[in-house]
Amino acid sequence: MAARHTSPAAKIGFWLLVAVLLVILLFPFYYAVITSFKSGSAIFEVDYLPAALSAGNYTSIFAEQPFGRNILNSLVVSVAVVGISLFLGLTAALALGRFRFKGRRMMLLAVLSVSMFPQVAVLSGMFELIRVLGLFNNPGGLILSYLIFTLPFTVWVLTSFIRDLPAEVEEAAIMDGAKPWTLLTRIFLPMMWPAMVTTGLLAFIVAWNEFLFALTFTLSNDQRTVPVAIALITGGSEFEVPWGRIMAASVIVTVPLIALVLIFQRRIVSGLTAGAVKG
Amino acid sequence: MATVTLRDLRKSFGDTEVIKGIDLEIEDGKFCVLVGPSGCGKSTLLRMIAGLEDIDGGALSIGGEVMNDIAPAERGVSMVFQSYALYPHMTVYQNMSFGLKLAKESDETVEERVRNAAEILQITDLLDRKPKALSGGQRQRVAIGRAIVRDPKVFLFDEPLSNLDATLRVQMRLEISRLHRRLGTTMIHVTHDQVEAMTLADQIVVLNQGVVAQAGTPRDLYDRPANTFVAGFIGSPAMNLLDARVKGGSVVLEGTDARIEGVDAADRPDGPVTLGFRPEHAELRDDGDGLPFEVEVMEDLGDTCVLHGVLADGPQATLRIPAETALPARGDRMCVMPGDGRCHLFDRDSGQRI
Ligand SMILES: Nc1ncnc2c1ncn2[C@@H]1O[C@H](COP(=O)(O)OP(=O)(O)OP(=O)(O)O)[C@@H](O)[C@H]1O
Ligand SMILES: [Mg+2]
């Protein structure tokens, strides 16, 4: 590598830069964690090292409101969105990427154009739809509406990925007697893990963090998802913003995302098709 | 058993007809090699036999059964692709057993067939590896192994050796030949490589722009090419094809008075023809009784040497002579004559053999 010939000064400069970047990136999160462990008025004192740790904020968010239930809602909604997006995205991608038919380009463009509208533009229409389907104040309504965000990019990413897979591997499987379903599950799916994991993760994050629809389509406290629940955390009086508890809740809901990325990071590597065709 | 018969086979992509009516019969157990310039439709024809391309016209039968509308897996054919096309996420064993498992063969049968094939191809040690941990030659063997285990009636190879380096190619060529002798199965093999075609084939089919230019044994094609296309395509360096003229029963090079001795044109009417003779069939004449040849480029191949130059102060020609004698150099003039009975005459317009 280039580092072989660099002077010590350049090396120090490089790591200094890395350190600065890390501080800038991580400081907000660090401060949130610190704040979440402070109690009472200690929150309004600016210090960068935790003086006294107290888990009071963490216990109180679960005690004073159905926060556990909110997390469960978020989890159900997000997992369902990921599952449905990947299933629909994959089957659509197989059709759009591997078969020639009239209107294929039109269909791809139509899928993409869905994601061009701002969220508020579809809000009222979506509201009517959800009410007609009887999904108001129900996780089902959120799952349905989140698919507008997740399906377009899932379909597009998976389609272009499937299109780049070597055609001869598919043909070899056809010669071996694989029917379309077998092709999808035994040949394409295993080769598509990197794309599936990446799009799945993105879909999860979108669904986990979504706020506007979640606020609009739910009514009661125990149907809410986490982002709305956090925003609606109230203090003892209307003049008090309970920063400690808000921070504690934010930390709790960030942890699953970090865990997911760490678990799947080894899967988010391309090159799984290595060895299929000539190097 | 598994004779492959093509009757007026046709295929178009959009408006362009790529396969323009091919009639061909490949007898059971024969090794047939398809050759032809790039884009002439070799792969397309092979894929039509495999069932990967629809057949637009004509009939394809394998073992007397019409196969036009039969699914690829049910035609009893196996294909080896140029890019190997192994399943990257499966081990060698899984790669080879995939088809058998889909065909619901019993576990013992699968195990036995895979072990057998692995033994034949000497890849038993590799059965637990993934394709990415294999070399090019090993991948090629696995691809062939995957074709063997299905015990097909016909093997189809689409340039299986073109990704290998020269040494490995020669070795795999021998192995394919051995495999053919051992299995006795009909094989259809597409290649660009002259030597591969000549050495492997019982029957060579030369394709040109979607039609069969000639089909026959390697000897036939070498000794009696049916037209100038085949004459120029088979053999390396390529046959000399020179404009000539029949004049009073003998053949004269166009634009010169040089008479070619070794051809019999006694019963031909006067008129233009194309004269063909292979570089290796020119004789050096020490006695000065022949055509003058001026050397422009000399290529020493060790056993023989190839000379490019001007024949009889007229057309360009190529000669190949044994490299035993003192080698000629650039600018040398020598005296040559195409060998007796080794010349070919073609109609100048149609290119067909006379
Ligand atoms: N899917 C396709 N769509 C349109 N044209 C095609 C398609 N496949 C092949 N062709 C055309 O058909 C012709 C024959 O192609 P083919 O692949 O059979 O040639 P080939 O003889 O195998 O050539 P090569 O030696 O380069 O592999 C080419 O002109 C090619 O452009
Ligand atoms: Mg080809």
Side-chain angles (χ1 to χ4, degrees):
Chain A
M1 292 283 273
R4 233 181 299 148
H5 298 295
T6 46
S7 63
K11 242 185 241 174
I12 292 171
F14 172 74
W15 287 111
L16 220 58
L17 206 66
V18 170
V20 169
L21 271 175
L22 277 179
V23 168
I24 293 176
L25 285 175
L26 293 181
F27 179 74
F29 190 69
Y30 171 75
Y31 202 74
V33 173
I34 300 245
T35 310
S36 72
F37 283 107
K38 289 179 182 171
S39 59
S41 58
I43 280 173
F44 301 104
E45 289 156 21
V46 179
D47 45 7
Y48 299 111
L49 287 172
L53 293 182
S54 121
N57 291 321
Y58 287 87
T59 46
S60 71
I61 46 171
F62 286 101
E64 288 166 29
Q65 58 208 77
F67 198 64
R69 178 66 202 253
N70 296 145
I71 291 179
L72 187 67
N73 286 342
S74 270
L75 217 56
V76 167
V77 169
S78 304
V79 168
V81 166
V82 168
I84 297 174
S85 304
L86 287 184
F87 177 76
L88 291 180
L90 195 66
T91 42
L94 186 68
L96 291 166
R98 282 288 153 143
F99 299 103
R100 287 155 180 262
F101 54 88
K102 260 211 169 80
R104 189 179 62 163
R105 278 186 61 83
M106 275 303 298
M107 204 171 276
L108 267 171
L109 286 176
V111 168
L112 188 65
S113 66
V114 169
S115 60
M116 287 186 218
F117 297 100
Q119 216 180 335
V120 265
V122 290
L123 194 61
S124 57
M126 205 70 209
F127 189 82
E128 284 303 314
L129 186 67
I130 281 173
R131 240 190 24 180
V132 166
L133 293 175
L135 293 174
F136 184 66
N137 198 26
N138 179 324
L142 295 184
I143 294 170
L144 180 70
S145 56
Y146 291 174
L147 289 177
I148 328 182
F149 309 126
T150 59
L151 269 182
F153 74 80
T154 322
V155 170
W156 267 76
V157 170
L158 294 183
T159 299
S160 57
F161 197 88
I162 237 175
R163 212 183 262 168
D164 289 343
L165 290 179
E168 290 195 340
V169 174
E170 178 193 358
E171 287 172 349
I174 292 176
M175 297 290 300
D176 266 344
K179 300 279 183 299
W181 185 250
T182 318
L183 265 184
L184 181 64
T185 53
R186 305 273 303 273
I187 303 295
F188 282 123
L189 210 55
M191 289 199 284
M192 290 190 61
W193 269 116
M196 300 275 291
V197 168
T198 315
T199 46
L201 215 52
L202 283 175
F204 188 91
I205 292 172
V206 166
W208 187 259
N209 286 335
E210 204 283 334
F211 179 78
L212 185 59
F213 282 0
L215 180 68
T216 317
F217 300 150
T218 52
L219 198 61
S220 55
N221 242 345
D222 57 0
Q223 293 296 333
R224 287 199 181 112
T225 54
V226 166
V228 182
I230 292 178
L232 298 183
I233 289 176
T234 48
S237 71
E238 66 180 294
F239 303 110
E240 184 196 340
V241 179
W243 285 114
R245 275 184 282 151
I246 290 179
M247 287 306 162
S250 308
V251 170
I252 289 177
V253 302
T254 316
V255 168
L257 293 187
I258 294 176
L260 276 180
V261 171
L262 288 182
I263 291 169
F264 285 115
Q265 70 169 353
R266 297 195 44 211
R267 287 278 196 171
I268 314 179
V269 285
S270 52
L272 265 182
T273 54
V277 297
K278 58 175 162 160
Chain B
M1 271 197 351
T3 303
V4 178
T5 316
L6 317 184
R7 286 277 163 266
D8 195 30
L9 221 54
R10 284 169 192 281
K11 173 80 193 171
S12 305
F13 290 113
D15 291 336
T16 39
E17 194 167 35
V18 174
I19 300 292
K20 300 166 185 166
I22 287 190
D23 285 293
L24 197 62
E25 174 141 342
I26 301 159
E27 282 172 44
D28 180 40
K30 288 283 192 262
F31 200 117
C32 171
V33 174
L34 294 178
V35 290
S38 196
C40 68
K42 305 182 294 290
S43 298
T44 308
L45 187 61
L46 204 67
R47 293 164 56 82
M48 287 164 77
I49 297 173
L52 295 171
E53 299 282 0
D54 291 334
I55 294 170
D56 291 345
L60 161 73
S61 45
I62 298 174
E65 223 180 307
V66 176
M67 291 290 179
N68 285 34
D69 299 318
I70 307 286
E74 273 129 49
R75 294 187 182 193
V77 301
S78 277
M79 184 147 168
V80 176
F81 295 85
Q82 181 175 359
S83 66
Y84 318 142
L86 300 178
Y87 310 127
H89 51 288
M90 299 186 194
T91 63
V92 168
Y93 185 91
Q94 290 166 331
N95 260 284
M96 288 168 67
S97 58
F98 186 69
L100 293 178
K101 292 225 169 110
L102 286 183
K104 303 251 184 321
E105 297 282 355
S106 72
D107 286 352
E108 298 91 71
T109 321
V110 173
E111 172 94 21
E112 188 196 319
R113 291 232 212 133
V114 172
R115 298 266 165 215
N116 248 335
E119 205 128 302
I120 294 176
L121 294 162
Q122 295 160 9
I123 48 173
T124 311
D125 298 343
L126 309 176
L127 285 176
D128 295 327
R129 296 220 202 144
K130 291 267 179 72
K132 62 168 173 269
L134 301 178
S135 73
Q138 290 170 330
R139 285 180 203 174
Q140 190 53 268
R141 277 165 214 264
V142 176
I144 294 175
R146 186 171 62 181
I148 292 179
V149 291
R150 299 183 50 223
D151 195 15
K153 291 184 278 184
V154 181
F155 278 103
L156 306 175
F157 294 95
D158 193 355
E159 305 196 35
L161 308 184
S162 61
N163 287 329
L164 306 178
D165 67 43
T167 328
L168 202 52
R169 195 178 310 172
V170 173
Q171 191 187 332
M172 285 304 291
R173 194 173 76 209
L174 268 173
E175 261 176 58
I176 289 182
S177 181
R178 228 173 266 144
L179 191 69
H180 177 241
R181 218 164 315 134
R182 177 164 182 168
L183 301 176
T185 314
T186 315
M187 295 192 176
I188 307 178
H189 182 112
V190 167
T191 181
H192 268 116
D193 189 309
Q194 291 271 336
V195 185
E196 216 173 297
M198 295 298 280
T199 51
L200 286 175
D202 295 314
Q203 177 186 23
I204 296 187
V205 178
V206 183
L207 284 187
N208 183 26
Q209 297 182 359
V211 296
V212 176
Q214 188 177 3
T217 63
R219 254 301 129 207
D220 278 345
L221 268 63
Y222 182 81
D223 286 341
R224 293 183 57 81
N227 47 50
T228 49
F229 179 81
V230 176
F233 194 81
I234 298 288
S236 169
M239 183 187 279
N240 294 298
L241 292 169
L242 310 175
D243 286 350
R245 181 166 289 280
V246 176
K247 218 186 238 171
S250 55
V251 176
V252 180
L253 281 188
E254 195 81 84
T256 68
D257 295 329
R259 205 174 71 81
I260 308 293
E261 285 170 5
V263 248
D264 181 23
D267 47 0
R268 288 283 309 165
D270 286 7
V273 290
T274 300
L275 168 78
F277 71 94
R278 296 197 180 275
E280 54 271 37
H281 292 153
E283 293 168 4
L284 291 184
R285 296 266 175 98
D286 296 331
D287 53 10
D289 179 21
L291 309 176
F293 179 79
E294 187 178 336
V295 179
E296 284 177 339
V297 177
M298 195 272 290
E299 296 167 340
D300 187 359
L301 302 180
D303 54 343
T304 56
C305 107
V306 176
L307 307 173
H308 304 274
V310 177
L311 189 64
D313 297 320
Q316 288 283 329
T318 302
L319 309 179
R320 190 161 85 178
I321 58 170
E324 290 145 12
T325 48
L327 294 179
R330 187 191 150 87
D332 281 2
R333 282 179 82 87
M334 40 212 296
C335 186
V336 298
M337 184 55 74
D340 219 1
R342 293 294 208 166
C343 288
H344 312 266
L345 285 185
F346 303 96
D347 189 281
R348 179 84 69 84
D349 297 323
S350 69
Q352 293 303 312
R353 182 183 193 85
I354 298 170

